[in-house]
Amino acid sequence: MDELPEEARRLLSGHELPSGPSLGPKLSNDLAKALRDQGYVINEDEKGMHLGGALVSRGGTPTAMSPYDVIRMAADMEGGLAPPDELLRCKKCDALIPHGDERCQWCGESAA
C-alpha cells in the first residue's frame, strides 16, 4: 500500500468513494421497457445513452422508430410532456410554448 500514490491509497482505504460519470437524463422505466420490448438494446456509458439492437417482429413487419417516438423519448428524458393547460400557442406560427417561456422557440414571437 505504501508504494501506491496518495489518491489510490485513499480510494482503497474506503474513506472516499469514487465518483462515477454523470449520465444525465434517463428514460422512464415505462418507456425503457417499451423500447426493450420492441427489440432495442439500451446502453449507457460516460458519453450518454445509446440505442441499438434489431426490432422484434410481433406478427407483422417491424417498423423503425418514428419521429414521434424520438420526440416522446426526448420529452421523457426532460421530465415528460407538460399538461396541455400549461402550454400556450404562438399567435404567429401556432407552435406550443411552454409555460414560463417569454418567446416562441420556433419563430421568436413574444408569448405575451
Side-chain angles (χ1 to χ4, degrees), residues 3-17:
E3 295 175 12
L4 293 173
E6 177 64 30
E7 183 179 348
R9 286 194 304 254
R10 224 180 16 252
L11 289 172
L12 291 172
S13 70
H15 296 300
E16 185 177 310
L17 296 175

Side-chain angles (χ1 to χ4, degrees), residues 27 31 65-81 96 105-106:
L27 293 175
L31 184 54
M65 188 178 286
S66 73
Y68 173 79
D69 293 332
V70 174
I71 291 170
R72 181 176 156 220
M73 185 170 43
D76 186 68
M77 291 177 73
E78 292 293 320
L81 296 173
L96 292 173
Q105 60 188 0
W106 296 100

Side-chain angles (χ1 to χ4, degrees), residues 21 28 33:
S28 70
K33 181 181 179 328

Side-chain angles (χ1 to χ4, degrees), residues 1 6 8 11 19-21 24 28 30 33 48 52 54-56 58 64 67 74 83 88 90 92 98-99 105:
M1 282 282 280
E6 177 64 30
L11 289 172
S19 61
S28 70
D30 291 340
K33 181 181 179 328
L55 292 172
V56 175
R58 301 259 195 279
L88 303 171
C90 176
K92 183 176 180 183
H99 180 70
Q105 60 188 0

Side-chain angles (χ1 to χ4, degrees), residues 29-40:
N29 291 337
D30 291 340
L31 184 54
K33 181 181 179 328
L35 289 169
R36 286 187 183 104
D37 288 348
Q38 294 178 48
Y40 288 101

